[in-house]
Every structure is written in structure tokens, then in C-alpha cells.
Amino acid sequence: MPIYEYVCDVCGHAFEQLQRTLSAPTPSCPACGKTKVSKQFSTFSASVAADASPSCSLGACPSAGGCAGGGCPREQ
Ligand SMILES: [Zn+2]
């Protein structure tokens, strides 16, 4: 079963969601409960393709390029 990575458009919380089917409904954010979430590429794909914030696990670091050293303030 594929695991998809989502980032909440409202609060920026990143989370992974196991989806049994491709037609599964969009999950809600576990942090704020909103359903405005964006599906991300898998961590593997993102690490290969991303050039903006390679080490930001949230994929939504406000300081693009500023978290390359692993000191991203939004990383948990
Ligand atoms: Zn949220």
C-alpha cells in the first residue's frame, strides 16, 4: 500500500497518510483538522528532485535554501 505525504495548506503541518485505494478521500490535517491539504511527492522522489529545501522534512520551509544545514526551524 502506498504512503502519501501531505502538507496542510492552512497550518503547514506535514504528515503521511496510508491510502488503501487511489480513490480514497483527501485526508484531514491531524494538527488542525482542515481538509485543505496538498499531496506531496514521496520523500524519496522529493529528495532527488527538490532543490529548494533539501533537508526540510516538512517540504514547506519558509526560508528556501536556508535549511540545508539541517537547522530548519520548522523541522521537528
Ligand atoms: Zn493543518
Side-chain angles (χ1 to χ4, degrees):
M1 279 181 281
I3 295 178
Y4 292 105
E5 195 170 300
Y6 291 88
V7 173
C8 178
D9 290 338
V10 179
C11 71
H13 181 76
F15 60 100
E16 292 177 342
Q17 179 74 34
L18 191 68
Q19 294 207 321
R20 299 175 185 280
T21 66
L22 289 175
S23 60
T26 301
S28 58
C29 173
C32 71
K34 305 294 184 182
T35 53
K36 281 185 61 67
V37 297
S38 298
K39 184 184 290 185
Q40 305 294 298
F41 290 109
S42 71
T43 303
F44 176 77
S45 299
S47 65
V48 173
D51 60 354
S53 52
S55 70
C56 180
S57 65
L58 294 182
C61 186
S63 56
C67 62
C72 178
R74 298 185 64 174
E75 200 163 35
Q76 301 187 35

